[in-house]
Amino acid sequence: VQLQASGGGLVQAGGSLRLSCAASGSIFSINEMGWYRQAPGKQREWVATSTSGGSTRYADSVKGRFTISRDNAKNTVYLQMNSLKPDDTAVYYCDAEVRSTSRSTAHYWGKGTLVTVSS
């Protein structure tokens, strides 16, 4: 199973970006999918999660500005980021809890995509 994230880039403060992360491989089903981020010199922090049942959770720092969604048919999770701030600058990583076709469950990470917000 592989996760491929895309959509990062450079944006001015107040702008928007949309990240995508597609899972591929021997996938039977995906439970939770989400996003984390790691700013320079800081630890990785959780951003948002979407469950297979459709519920979502957000870190307080992004609540009201970011929206997580997913397309289960495409095994893809999105992160719409609005009203971006310089503090949102980080490498964004997607993660997924995947049940494979062998019925084993494991946690996977994608390679990060860099988001830079200029002031």
Side-chain angles (χ1 to χ4, degrees), residues 21-39:
C21 177
S24 61
S26 301
I27 298 170
F28 176 77
S29 63
I30 302 179
N31 299 328
E32 294 189 346
M33 299 186 81
W35 293 93
Y36 286 72
R37 66 186 181 185
Q38 187 167 16

Side-chain angles (χ1 to χ4, degrees), residues 7-30:
L10 173 64
V11 64
Q12 289 188 333
S16 299
L17 279 176
R18 189 192 193 208
L19 305 183
S20 300
C21 177
S24 61
S26 301
I27 298 170
F28 176 77
S29 63
I30 302 179

Side-chain angles (χ1 to χ4, degrees), residues 88-106:
D88 295 318
T89 294
V91 177
Y92 284 71
Y93 299 89
C94 59
D95 78 308
E97 185 181 63
V98 177
R99 191 175 185 197
S100 70
T101 52
S102 67
R103 301 301 191 266
S104 62
T105 299

Side-chain angles (χ1 to χ4, degrees), residues 7-11 17 19 113-117:
L10 173 64
V11 64
L17 279 176
L19 305 183
T113 184
L114 177 63
V115 173
T116 303
V117 184

